[in-house]
Amino acid sequence: MKIFIKTYGCQMNERDSEAIGALLKSSGHTLVDTENDADVLLFNTCSVRDAAERKAKGKIGYMKKLKLRKPDLIIGVMGCMAQRLGDQLLAELPHLDFVLGTGQLHRAPEAIAEISAQRKRFAAIDVAPEEIDMLGAHGNTSWSAQIAITRGCNRFCSYCIVPYVRGREASRSLESILTEARALAAAGVKEILLLGQNVAAYGLNGDIRPPAAGHSPFAELLEALNEIPGLERIRYTSPYVSYFNDRLIEALAKCRKVCHNIHLPLQSGSDRILQAMNRQYTARSYLDKVAQLRSAISDLTFSTDVIVGFPGEEESDFALTRDLMNEVGFEQAFIFKYSPRPGAKSALLADTVSEEEKLRRNNILLDDLQHRISTKLATLTGSVQEVLCEGVSARNESRWTGRTGTNFVVHFEPDATVVPGAVRQVKITRSGGVSLFGELIQE
Ligand code: 5AD
Ligand code: SF4
């Protein structure tokens, strides 16, 4: 059958969709790019903010029209919203055929076969512990690939739905990750992105205490991946700040292929709010960790996630967040307006900050960020950067685009030898508001 998969939410969801797609292909189905061409529509959904759920529900609701025209159309909803709402989705959306929760994704081929055989609607949201290694399949590999190394989360930040929809944290075995990475490298992949809700908790068996000094299974994983021939770059997202101990910092500094960029969620710069969020660090300890990391790796760049308008966030708390962001000097940031999630602890608190005020705080942080990025980019003019070439620039066909290990986008004129995934030296000639421009250095 022809299957269309639409993904909402995070990179983990993208990765899951890729694996489900590959699984469906190996069961004899084909993947198509538009819903109109499809016999089966699969929606892999997100619950992290209310807006993500509303978007998916709106789209799925709209598909009713298509089903009226094509009564045999099969529609399935998977992932986090499926897990959270289960049967309720079947009740709300009468044209929906099946619902597969986060622990049941590998059953997509079976679900499609069942529905086409007997049209009996169902929702499956049981936790399936064996699922941890079941989504290892990859689609058409390019120069870059994602690998899920942990699933679920044990941290229970008070605003967050993830522990409830993705379940308890579990790590894959070192051997299975290495096998996957070696196969990808053999297929021509140059960059891997390791995924997990808290990647630095890899191999800690769900213990919520940050690892003891000298102990970091995540460091061991990075060191093993660093040895794989053919791989050029290793990225990871996201680590929790308290898990960067000496052992891990030493591995980051030593492993040539591990990129000098860390996505380090901050959430707030106010200790009072951090505590209400059940984040296990203070503004001071976050800053100290950043300083320790920078002293080990001088060109390290940082990106982050911040939530504005958490219940009880006063102007003074917001000012602390703003100051801390400027002090760290984040090179990239994702700012989110607080959205209460039913089931998460903070949903019991009054949502005290108005939508307009959340937007105002959001825009202030985005303006600061834009200013910081362009100032930082300007300092790179004249430098030579190692760039992994990605492909023709979306904006200008005569140029190519690539990325530095520190995660800056670089545009350059290609030569005849440039191919996607090639690593080249580029002399930076000028900077723009969000990216760099340069010339290939002929080696
Ligand atoms: N409201 C707003 N943002 C949220 N995030 C997680 N839960 C919420 C919520 N309830 C943000 C956090 C997290 C990112 C993935 O989404 O910043 O790091
Ligand atoms: Fe990803 Fe969290 Fe959204 Fe699930 S709820 S898709 S884990 S961001």
Side-chain angles (χ1 to χ4, degrees):
M1 282 200 254
K2 292 188 211 143
I3 300 182
F4 171 78
I5 307 180
K6 167 106 182 132
T7 309
Y8 297 87
C10 63
Q11 284 162 311
M12 185 65 91
N13 259 22
E14 282 170 26
R15 170 70 198 109
D16 284 344
S17 290
E18 184 202 6
I20 294 163
L23 214 62
L24 290 167
K25 272 170 94 172
S26 64
S27 322
H29 299 288
T30 45
L31 300 180
V32 294
D33 294 331
T34 63
E35 49 235 43
N36 283 322
D37 292 338
D39 309 308
V40 180
L41 306 180
L42 296 180
F43 295 92
N44 194 11
T45 57
C46 173
S47 285
V48 79
R49 279 170 294 276
D50 188 48
E53 286 200 354
R54 268 188 285 133
K55 209 163 143 191
K57 271 195 189 166
K59 177 80 179 179
I60 301 162
Y62 188 66
M63 291 299 117
K64 194 172 181 176
K65 277 192 184 165
L66 195 59
K67 191 140 176 174
L68 283 175
R69 273 199 281 128
K70 285 168 81 171
D72 289 340
L73 186 68
I74 295 175
I75 306 182
V77 176
M78 309 182 297
C80 295
M81 184 175 76
Q83 185 69 35
R84 194 173 86 76
L85 298 176
D87 283 324
Q88 196 184 320
L89 276 179
L90 289 182
E92 274 180 40
L93 301 161
H95 57 295
L96 197 62
D97 292 293
F98 67 86
V99 172
L100 289 180
T102 50
Q104 299 284 328
L105 300 175
H106 57 282
R107 289 188 49 209
E110 204 181 310
I112 292 168
E114 264 174 58
I115 295 290
S116 43
Q118 51 171 333
R119 287 275 159 191
K120 197 159 161 273
R121 307 169 78 213
F122 70 90
I125 57 166
D126 295 352
V127 179
E130 76 278 15
E131 181 251 8
I132 187 79
D133 251 357
M134 282 197 165
L135 294 170
H138 285 264
N140 294 334
T141 44
S142 67
W143 51 270
S144 168
Q146 303 178 335
I147 301 181
I149 63 166
T150 70
R151 288 188 171 274
C153 185
N154 283 0
R155 296 226 53 101
F156 290 94
C157 302
S158 67
Y159 50 80
C160 188
I161 193 81
V162 171
Y164 304 96
V165 289
R166 284 210 174 249
R168 293 292 63 73
E169 180 187 286
S171 297
R172 295 175 56 194
S173 73
L174 183 70
E175 214 33 63
S176 100
I177 298 170
L178 292 179
T179 305
E180 190 172 325
R182 284 190 198 109
L184 290 167
V189 167
K190 301 292 176 203
E191 176 182 280
I192 52 171
L193 172 64
L194 307 176
L195 297 176
Q197 256 68 45
N198 175 11
V199 280
Y202 173 75
L204 296 177
N205 303 320
D207 190 341
I208 64 155
R209 287 162 307 178
H215 178 59
S216 172
F218 183 55
E220 291 163 25
L221 171 65
L222 292 175
E223 286 163 356
L225 290 167
N226 195 55
E227 298 303 314
I228 295 179
L231 281 187
E232 292 287 347
R233 283 185 176 177
I234 301 166
R235 297 187 187 274
Y236 51 93
T237 194
S238 311
Y240 194 95
V241 64
S242 338
Y243 290 66
F244 283 89
N245 61 13
D246 293 359
R247 173 75 182 85
L248 178 52
I249 295 176
E250 187 192 296
L252 298 177
K254 182 179 76 179
C255 293
R256 181 187 68 79
K257 298 177 183 178
V258 175
C259 288
H260 289 182
N261 170 254
I262 305 183
H263 183 72
L264 198 61
L266 168 65
Q267 312 301 1
S268 172
S270 156
D271 289 346
R272 199 173 68 81
I273 299 295
L274 285 171
Q275 201 174 8
M277 288 175 161
N278 193 27
R279 299 290 286 181
Q280 311 271 302
Y281 53 87
T282 60
R284 182 75 261 154
S285 65
Y286 185 100
L287 274 174
D288 287 348
K289 200 56 85 181
V290 165
Q292 204 188 338
L293 281 157
R294 282 216 170 105
S295 75
I297 305 165
S298 59
D299 66 343
L300 199 56
T301 57
F302 289 93
S303 60
T304 199
D305 290 342
V306 165
I307 297 176
V308 290
F310 185 83
E313 187 187 75
E314 304 285 345
E315 189 62 32
S316 55
D317 297 304
F318 172 66
L320 289 169
T321 301
R322 191 177 180 192
D323 290 349
L324 198 139
M325 288 185 77
N326 285 324
E327 194 168 341
V328 174
F330 292 107
E331 280 84 358
Q332 186 53 271
F334 300 95
I335 322 286
F336 302 104
K337 287 177 281 172
Y338 173 71
S339 153
R341 307 307 298 126
K345 264 212 170 133
S346 70
L348 300 171
L349 305 170
D351 190 6
T352 52
V353 182
S354 70
E355 203 47 39
E356 295 91 300
E357 182 56 19
K358 284 177 187 165
L359 185 63
R360 189 186 71 88
R361 294 180 189 178
N362 184 83
N363 288 343
I364 290 173
L365 296 185
L366 286 179
D367 281 353
D368 285 356
L369 175 70
Q370 189 49 58
H371 178 72
R372 263 201 321 273
I373 294 178
S374 50
T375 311
K376 174 72 194 245
L377 290 174
T379 67
L380 297 174
T381 304
S383 68
V384 173
Q385 300 285 331
E386 189 187 90
V387 170
L388 192 144
C389 306
E390 297 184 355
V392 177
S393 158
R395 290 239 189 110
N396 180 339
E397 274 188 17
S398 68
R399 289 205 192 105
W400 267 51
T401 298
R403 214 170 266 268
T404 66
T406 46
N407 222 14
F408 293 117
V409 172
V410 183
H411 305 282
F412 56 90
E413 307 274 326
D415 63 17
T417 66
V418 160
V419 288
V423 175
R424 297 288 298 267
Q425 301 296 316
V426 177
K427 169 104 189 233
I428 306 302
T429 50
R430 68 187 169 92
S431 66
V434 290
S435 54
L436 297 165
F437 296 84
E439 286 163 4
L440 282 175
I441 294 180
Q442 299 305 330
E443 283 139 28

